[in-house]
């Protein structure tokens, strides 16, 4: 299903349930500017058995301590981490993505994943910690949409 911007949406498909059931809560600290121990990276807490296959593309930027891809709060695969010195999301510890290029803040990211509507119940699918991080970013930025992104190989 495509949204008004031409992006593929997983809402209403079986892929949504499968993709969301693979994770429980987010890793990393509270959203921040990447300094100290805080990280803007919201990552799945465990490796996914499969990945949604929609095309995901957009400018990656840091807004109020939260990573935003295009017009949505972004979350990443298990093992994705923040490189504060280079302002990048790195995948060195992400299973199956260890050799993937980093996602640079300020650059266009092209990869795979899935776009989730603002009404998606991430709390029941992903757990309290994950949903709390997403909700804090939604409140801080005023952005309701959520996108799952991973680098395409």
């Amino acid at each position: 299903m495509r949204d008004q911007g031409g992006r593929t949406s997983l809402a209403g498909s079986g892929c949504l349930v499968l993709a969301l059931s693979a994770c429980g809560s987010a890793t990393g600290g509270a959203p921040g500017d990447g300094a100290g121990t805080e990280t803007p990276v919201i990552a799945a807490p465990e490796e996914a058995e499969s990945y949604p296959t929609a095309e995901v593309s957009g400018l990656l930027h840091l807004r109020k301590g939260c990573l935003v891809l295009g017009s949505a709060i972004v979350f990443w695969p298990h093992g994705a981490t923040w490189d504060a010195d280079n302002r990048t999301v790195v995948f060195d510890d992400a299973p199956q993505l260890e050799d993937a290029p980093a996602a640079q803040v300020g650059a266009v990211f092209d990869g795979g994943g899935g776009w989730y509507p603002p009404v998606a119940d991430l709390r029941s699918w992903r757990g309290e910690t994950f949903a709390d991080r997403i909700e804090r970013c939604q409140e801080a930025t005023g952005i309701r949409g959520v996108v799952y992104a991973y680098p395409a190989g």
Side-chain angles (χ1 to χ4, degrees):
M1 184 160 92
R2 296 223 178 245
D3 69 6
Q4 294 172 342
R7 297 177 298 222
T8 302
S9 174
L10 297 178
S13 75
C15 293
L16 176 65
V17 174
L18 177 62
L20 291 174
S21 66
C23 307
S25 62
T27 59
D33 62 4
T37 60
E38 294 183 345
T39 175
V41 172
I42 301 173
E46 57 192 46
E47 184 178 357
E49 292 181 25
S50 64
Y51 293 91
T53 58
E55 181 181 321
V56 171
S57 181
L59 179 65
L60 180 63
H61 56 282
L62 194 57
R63 185 173 181 187
K64 297 193 178 188
C66 300
L67 287 168
V68 176
L69 182 62
S71 60
I73 303 299
V74 61
F75 71 98
W76 306 92
H78 173 71
T81 57
W82 180 241
D83 178 345
D85 293 335
N86 294 307
R87 293 175 47 95
T88 58
V89 178
V90 294
F91 303 96
D92 298 343
D93 297 325
Q96 302 177 32
L97 300 170
E98 298 91 348
D99 297 326
Q104 177 73 51
V105 169
V108 172
F109 174 87
D110 290 306
W115 301 87
Y116 300 99
V119 296
D121 184 6
L122 296 174
R123 185 167 301 284
S124 67
W125 291 323
R126 301 277 188 188
E128 296 294 319
T129 303
F130 178 88
D132 288 347
R133 296 227 25 229
I134 294 289
E135 288 172 4
R136 281 194 304 269
C137 283
Q138 288 174 321
E139 290 171 14
T141 63
I143 296 171
R144 305 310 307 158
V146 176
V147 62
Y148 175 63
Y150 61 88

